[in-house]
Amino acid sequence: MIEMGEPAWRGPQLAEAIYRQRLPDLTEITTLPKSLRQKLALEGWQVGRPQIAQVFRSVDGTERYLVQCQDGVTVETVWMPEGDDGEAGDGSDVDDADGGLKERAGKSWHRATICVSSQVGCAVNCQFCLTAKLGLQRNLTAGEIAGQVVSVLDRHGVEVGRDRVNLVFMGMGEPFLNYDNFMGAVTLLVREVELSPQRMTVSTSGIVPGIERFAQEPAELRPKLAISLNAPNDQIREKLMPINRKWPIEAVMDAVRGVKLRSRERITFEYVLLGGVTDQPQHALQVARLVRRTGLPAKVNLIAWNPGPGIAYSMPKPEAVEAFRDALVDQGIPAYLRNPRGRDIYAACGQLKRTVEG
Ligand code: SAH
Ligand code: SF4
């Protein structure tokens, strides 16, 4: 706005229209004079919010979207009303500080989690992950990352500040390999959309320089941190996650120790259970030891592997999943099972884009 010779306060006015009022088109921003809207349009400016191009609705209420950016590429964004069982979807404990928010007329949910993508595809190449099969197509911009959230909030008529919404940056891509755009999006979501960073969780496969930068972010902009551990030791982890050769478990843990946690905040370790590969009783004991050794306040989120075409792993048996959780809990490590959501709509990580677009 300043570059266009407009007063500086036009900037916040525009942000208010795009991020708070969620207006999808310049013509609707009536707080700006018509002449200015015309001038913006003539110069080629558009709101450019990514569009929900396709919707897949699961019997469990989960909605999965293919969201299309201006250049036509699509990413997946997911809406999970009520989060996970007994948890806030990001695996944080249910804290009903806001007094069990009353269900408002016409709304069938009172708490929801949105899962957001940070890249189109991913370069990290974890062997169990469908997104990896796409390779990295491109980074998303800060606007495209925040825009996914704005589009979903809009679709569900969410009233920020009243409705309880959690964000998890656990969609397609590795947020810490698109660091500036990821943090740019968080900044927009905190400052303009006015969502709390304490209701956001970013998951990383363990990009050490990214974790080190993240540790320097101010508390008012820093989401909670989740680390995709996924294996009980370096030997197994480097087979599943080649990135482990560059940054082994200990290097990741050292970097995580640099993050100054807020009161009651915990680090989440995500652990994908692969049948016969990472779900054995001795693995649970190793994970417990590993997590204890970090000395960090932590919890473990267990995710039964979601199968996908062309990936030669097996799902863990339900008994193995339960036994794994019990073993961790016995060892004094808080552990939660993340329920698979929307299996009927191919809602496993990265599945939708692959299924729809081939
Ligand atoms: N790239 C980041 C965030 C996106 S992946 C990361 O890896 O952490 C989010 C989570 O989904 C990770 O914990 C990852 O291990 C898990 N995941 C990937 N593919 C999966 C699958 N097929 N089934 C279950 N979890 C999967
Ligand atoms: Fe990328 Fe995460 Fe999938 Fe690994 S698990 S390939 S880091 S999206």
Side-chain angles (χ1 to χ4, degrees):
M1 283 296 162
I2 292 169
E3 276 170 25
M4 287 185 90
E6 292 292 325
W9 48 265
R10 289 268 184 236
Q13 208 173 29
L14 198 50
E16 162 79 21
I18 296 172
Y19 288 103
R20 291 284 300 174
Q21 293 177 265
R22 306 194 286 243
L23 299 175
D25 199 276
L26 269 180
T27 55
E28 291 176 43
I29 308 182
T30 49
T31 47
L32 302 182
K34 197 161 184 202
S35 57
L36 178 55
R37 279 179 268 155
Q38 280 166 345
K39 188 169 155 205
L40 283 166
L42 271 175
E43 291 192 9
W45 293 99
Q46 342 175 287
V47 173
R49 184 209 291 174
Q51 299 295 316
I52 294 180
Q54 287 190 62
V55 178
F56 301 82
R57 202 183 148 82
S58 163
V59 288
D60 66 18
T62 301
E63 285 189 351
R64 201 160 182 102
Y65 314 108
L66 277 183
V67 173
Q68 190 165 37
C69 301
Q70 296 279 296
D71 65 350
V73 301
T74 58
V75 290
E76 300 183 23
T77 311
V78 189
W79 163 264
M80 293 172 280
E82 298 302 306
D84 259 351
D85 267 3
E87 294 191 282
D90 58 351
S92 65
D93 317 299
V94 186
D95 90 74
D96 258 323
D98 25 26
L101 231 85
K102 274 194 278 328
E103 242 176 67
R104 290 207 320 277
K107 269 195 189 139
S108 55
W109 55 276
H110 67 282
R111 181 162 56 93
T113 300
I114 302 172
C115 178
V116 185
S117 291
S118 57
Q119 297 181 307
V120 188
C122 186
V124 179
N125 203 21
C126 302
Q127 300 298 296
F128 50 82
C129 173
L130 271 160
T131 303
K133 300 267 176 207
L134 301 166
L136 177 63
Q137 297 179 7
R138 73 166 171 85
N139 280 330
L140 291 176
T141 65
E144 287 167 338
I145 299 169
Q148 292 166 60
V149 178
V150 176
S151 285
V152 175
L153 293 176
D154 201 34
R155 176 179 168 82
H156 291 279
V158 173
E159 292 175 50
V160 174
R162 266 189 89 175
D163 297 323
R164 184 158 150 198
V165 182
N166 299 297
L167 301 185
V168 293
F169 296 94
M170 298 186 184
M172 308 175 84
E174 169 47 62
F176 285 2
L177 289 180
N178 185 20
Y179 191 89
D180 290 330
N181 288 321
F182 158 68
M183 272 313 294
V186 170
T187 306
L188 287 169
L189 291 164
V190 172
R191 301 231 169 107
E192 310 301 345
V193 182
E194 296 181 9
L195 294 167
S196 160
Q198 301 205 56
R199 293 212 181 280
M200 304 178 189
T201 303
V202 59
S203 171
T204 179
S205 55
I207 309 296
V208 165
I211 301 170
E212 288 170 349
R213 284 186 70 182
F214 186 73
Q216 303 307 313
E217 300 292 347
E220 66 270 19
L221 280 181
R222 185 170 51 71
K224 295 185 287 183
L225 181 62
I227 303 289
S228 293
L229 180 61
N230 292 342
N233 57 51
D234 282 323
Q235 288 78 351
I236 298 180
R237 195 169 190 266
E238 67 183 37
K239 288 204 192 99
L240 305 177
M241 304 176 71
I243 194 87
N244 195 77
R245 289 194 203 107
K246 194 160 187 184
W247 294 298
I249 296 172
E250 211 38 57
V252 173
M253 298 302 185
D254 283 343
V256 173
R257 278 187 209 100
V259 179
K260 278 186 234 51
L261 299 178
R262 287 160 286 228
S263 77
R264 292 174 64 216
E265 185 177 348
R266 293 186 289 184
I267 298 288
T268 300
F269 291 105
E270 294 158 281
Y271 192 97
V272 175
L273 291 155
L274 298 166
V277 179
T278 60
D279 67 344
Q280 302 298 297
Q282 74 271 21
H283 297 150
L285 296 178
Q286 290 177 52
V287 170
R289 229 173 292 141
L290 214 163
V291 170
R292 209 176 304 120
R293 232 186 23 230
T294 66
L296 293 160
K299 63 167 183 273
V300 176
N301 274 356
L302 298 170
I303 317 161
W305 179 67
N306 271 313
I311 307 190
Y313 287 109
S314 346
M315 288 162 69
K317 295 205 171 67
E319 311 84 75
V321 175
E322 302 259 318
F324 205 97
R325 195 247 335 256
D326 293 347
L328 287 176
V329 172
D330 280 349
Q331 293 288 314
I333 307 290
Y336 305 89
L337 299 182
R338 302 264 314 262
N339 283 341
R341 300 286 307 240
R343 277 235 166 109
D344 54 329
I345 51 162
Y346 300 103
C349 323
Q351 258 186 349
L352 184 60
K353 186 175 164 75
R354 295 264 303 170
T355 311
V356 173
E357 296 178 355

